[in-house]
Amino acid sequence: MGIFRKRNYSNLKLIVALCCCGCTFDSPKIVAVSPSDIIPKVARFDPDLTNENFEVSSLKTVAYWPNSVTMQRVTTLLADSIGGTIGLRPDRVASSTVSEYELFVSLDTTDDNWKPSEYTLVVSSKSILITAGDYDGIFAGANTVRQLISHHKYDEADPSANVRIDTGTVSDWPRYEWRGAMLDVVRHFINVSDVKKYINLLSLYKLNVLHLHLTDDQGWRIEIKSWPDLTTVGGSTQVGGGDGGFYTQDQYREIVTYAHNRNVMIVPEIDFPGHINAALASYPELNCDGSAPELFTGTEVGISSLCFSDPDTWPFVKDVIREVASLTPSPYIHIGGDEAHQSDKDDYIDFIGKLEEYVQSLGYTMVGWEEIAAAEISSSTITQFWLSESYLPLAAQAKSNIIFSPSNKAYMDMKYDVDTTPGTIWAGFINMQVAYEWDPNDFLTTVPSGNAIGIEAPLWTESVTSMTEVELMSFPRLLAYAEIAWTEPSERQWNDFRSRLAAQGPILDARGVNYYRSPLIDW
Ligand code: TNX
């Protein structure tokens, strides 16, 4: 059987279907993939002109240098992926010589010209070489390879089935350093193994931040040892009155480590001073009148506030932030700050200032939703834009860096179209084209572009009740967001993205992802 060369994946489906009589598209015999067809789109691919390709089934060894813990982590990830997709787990060897290995991963500390997170990938008929100037780049290169080999679904009945990669050189680097998703694990609880599945998918598309929204009116999902009722009481329910749940500190550490091994940073959010009913319901002493409100299982927002005059409030806030910090190896703590409709404005401003000081005293950078820009935030604090452009000049004035999560473009709880269940529509429908065709530049009339550090796509879960629905709302939109975050806008075209996205269908299928079969995509 010949090698099916292709540039356009929608043609590939046809070719494989025609040539593999009797076999389904789920297990193609031979698939030729080009590094130029991945998501997010690479900055540069120079094909070599030999018409040769690299046979993925020849991957028997993964070599790496230097022999550091991080290189061991990244090559373990690669070896596991190869094992999972090809059916044979390659050996891993630490070696400073490139020759004779089919996959060689090396960190180049001798050259100063690498951009942050840049990598090169040289594919020849004999080998794949990943080289980068920093570990982010190493992971990015590794995830390019993981995605390329994912085109294959191992067929035990026919181990000769294979993926062949076009030869040539990739040179690739991200546009933004903050490439994120957010999961609301409060309104409906999402368990550890589902969060891990989500993280693994993020990493495959080079998303490197998972912001976990851990507390809200309806629940408290992270164990705080000094205030145990937060989870035993506050974590006991969710929207609609179901059982809820929470992560013990050990389980949370397990999530953080799993993410770290895939170069995904977990950013914890504890939402203050609003969105706090679960805590108020757990401890009567946190309330101005000393009595605890009922647990809340509805979906209204802006219904609660910390009691600023209560002597227990500040010690409580400090204990929580201190314990969360102790679980957080990344430099960021998100303090919420949104929709504090029940808080007095002056109290809010004082509180955010005090909280910023405390977060900084622990050695962390504070992140907050856009409303914090109305307080006197310092330039190291990060503002997360979501709704009102009026906060952007305030953030710019403070020289605060900005993460873009415009609700009418990036909120994954918005329905794709009228037929989507679950979801909401308060910010509009977000079909695949809307999800793809926007850019932080659209909002930069009042903000210097240097302050835009990236984007984040939140999934709020008031209406999203299960992992199946989490996947439906997130995929494939997250692939569009991954490309906005990674690829220069001048390199992004909707029609080109559509055909590359169509080719991701089998990859998502093979990973058991319940993605939305958007009618705009020729799957
Ligand atoms: C607004 S975005 C919220 C959330 C809701 C979401 C629903 C933000 C900072 N606050 O509390 O879950 O809308 O779409």
Side-chain angles (χ1 to χ4, degrees), residues 206-481:
K206 301 190 180 76
L207 291 162
N208 63 351
V209 174
L210 177 62
H211 163 181
L212 287 177
H213 182 75
L214 292 165
T215 67
D216 212 304
D217 289 319
Q218 298 88 344
W220 190 284
R221 306 294 179 216
I222 176 80
E223 178 190 20
I224 302 296
K225 292 194 193 281
S226 52
W227 296 77
D229 295 354
L230 289 172
T231 41
T232 53
V233 177
S236 64
T237 192
Q238 59 184 5
V239 166
D243 282 346
F246 65 91
Y247 311 126
T248 64
Q249 294 200 352
D250 281 345
Q251 287 173 325
Y252 186 79
R253 279 196 198 90
E254 194 183 317
I255 292 173
V256 169
T257 304
Y258 183 88
H260 180 64
N261 287 339
R262 284 156 183 76
N263 207 35
V264 174
M265 172 169 83
I266 300 292
V267 175
E269 178 189 347
I270 307 295
D271 205 343
F272 294 127
H275 291 276
I276 196 74
N277 186 75
L280 302 182
S282 306
Y283 286 98
E285 61 266 43
L286 292 177
N287 294 273
C288 292
D289 64 3
S291 77
E294 296 283 296
L295 290 164
F296 180 66
T297 59
T299 58
E300 212 185 322
V301 294
I303 59 162
S304 60
S305 174
L306 283 171
C307 176
F308 301 107
S309 60
D310 187 319
D312 289 314
T313 294
W314 185 243
F316 159 74
V317 171
K318 278 171 67 179
D319 287 343
V320 168
I321 294 290
R322 197 184 56 250
E323 288 199 36
V324 169
S326 75
L327 300 169
T328 304
S330 84
Y332 305 103
I333 292 182
H334 200 304
I335 57 83
D338 58 313
E339 297 174 319
H341 305 323
Q342 307 299 321
S343 308
D344 171 81
K345 187 155 187 221
D346 291 336
D347 287 342
Y348 176 86
I349 291 172
D350 287 350
F351 175 77
I352 295 294
K354 206 162 142 188
L355 192 51
E356 181 186 68
E357 207 174 296
Y358 186 62
V359 169
Q360 290 175 354
S361 76
L362 298 174
Y364 288 80
T365 295
M366 186 172 95
V367 188
W369 296 105
E370 63 192 18
E371 289 93 326
I372 65 162
E376 280 158 25
I377 53 171
S378 64
S379 61
S380 64
T381 288
I382 298 174
T383 305
Q384 184 164 12
F385 167 69
W386 65 279
L387 182 65
S388 170
E389 292 189 39
S390 65
Y391 287 109
L392 289 174
L394 298 177
Q397 218 171 358
K399 299 194 166 49
S400 165
N401 283 332
I402 299 170
I403 300 163
F404 286 84
S405 303
S407 39
N408 58 350
K409 306 288 181 188
Y411 267 30
M412 298 186 292
D413 57 329
M414 296 304 129
K415 293 175 185 284
Y416 292 91
D417 63 28
V418 280
D419 296 325
T420 313
T421 20
T424 179
I425 53 167
W426 70 260
F429 293 109
I430 304 182
N431 68 25
M432 283 310 300
Q433 190 167 2
V434 172
Y436 186 72
E437 289 193 317
W438 67 277
D439 193 85
N441 282 346
D442 306 342
F443 302 94
L444 291 182
T445 45
T446 46
V447 183
S449 63
N451 288 38
I453 57 166
I455 73 167
E456 206 180 274
L459 180 63
W460 301 102
T461 57
E462 286 96 332
S463 69
V464 176
T465 61
S466 64
M467 187 58 180
T468 315
E469 291 181 348
V470 166
E471 291 174 7
L472 183 81
M473 301 307 274
S474 306
F475 295 95
R477 280 189 285 212
L478 270 178
L479 281 67
Y481 302 131

Side-chain angles (χ1 to χ4, degrees), residues 81 85 146 150 197 200-201 204 506-513:
S81 288
T85 36
R146 287 176 77 209
S150 294
K197 181 179 182 186
N200 199 30
L201 289 161
L204 194 61
I507 294 182
L508 295 170
D509 281 332
R511 289 172 183 268
V513 179

Side-chain angles (χ1 to χ4, degrees), residues 4-9 11-12 15 31-34 37 166:
F4 308 125
R5 304 199 63 76
K6 54 163 226 38
R7 289 282 178 258
N8 181 333
Y9 275 108
N11 297 338
L12 171 72
I15 295 167
V31 178
V33 294
S34 165
D37 289 332
D166 288 2

